[in-house]
Amino acid sequence: MSVEILTKEDLVRFKIELITELKEMINEKNDQRKKWLRSKEVEKLLNISPGTLQNYRINGIIKWTKFGNTYFYSLDAINQSFDDSSSASFS
């Protein structure tokens, strides 16, 4: 059985490596943001009422799909819909 001695420098190097890996994991998770939003999430994102969202659906301003009793909206489609009239995108 061999004995290894850890120095303070070893621990500092380990801490730096651990923090770097954690940052990479967090960045990967942020890149995998939600692609589909429910009605409440879209209302909050766009700061609109349920009636306004319904009007957007009826008038074809926002593309949507319905699964069961729930409406889903593509975040990319929302950004694309509003990119024509605004330079800001939502995330």
Side-chain angles (χ1 to χ4, degrees):
M1 179 168 150
S2 66
V3 176
E4 293 186 31
I5 299 175
L6 292 176
T7 64
K8 188 174 183 178
E9 289 81 21
D10 293 331
L11 293 174
V12 169
R13 190 171 344 152
F14 174 73
K15 179 179 98 171
I16 292 170
E17 289 175 11
L18 181 62
I19 290 172
T20 302
E21 286 184 32
L22 288 172
K23 284 181 181 179
E24 288 174 4
M25 289 172 60
I26 290 170
N27 287 337
E28 286 175 10
K29 187 166 185 153
N30 286 341
D31 290 342
Q32 297 172 351
R33 63 187 169 143
K34 290 178 93 172
K35 294 187 180 205
W36 291 94
L37 304 175
R38 294 173 183 252
S39 295
K40 288 291 181 191
E41 294 168 315
V42 175
E43 292 164 12
K44 183 176 179 183
L45 177 68
L46 300 177
N47 195 26
I48 59 174
S49 69
T52 301
L53 183 57
Q54 182 179 7
N55 285 333
Y56 286 174
R57 277 196 314 266
I58 292 169
N59 295 320
I61 295 172
I62 293 180
K63 293 182 182 177
W64 54 274
T65 188
K66 188 174 182 182
F67 188 76
N69 291 327
T70 306
Y71 290 97
F72 290 95
Y73 307 85
S74 165
L75 183 58
D76 292 335
I78 292 171
N79 283 329
Q80 185 178 5
S81 295
F82 290 96
D83 277 346
D84 297 336
S85 60
S86 170
S87 60
S89 66
F90 303 99
S91 37

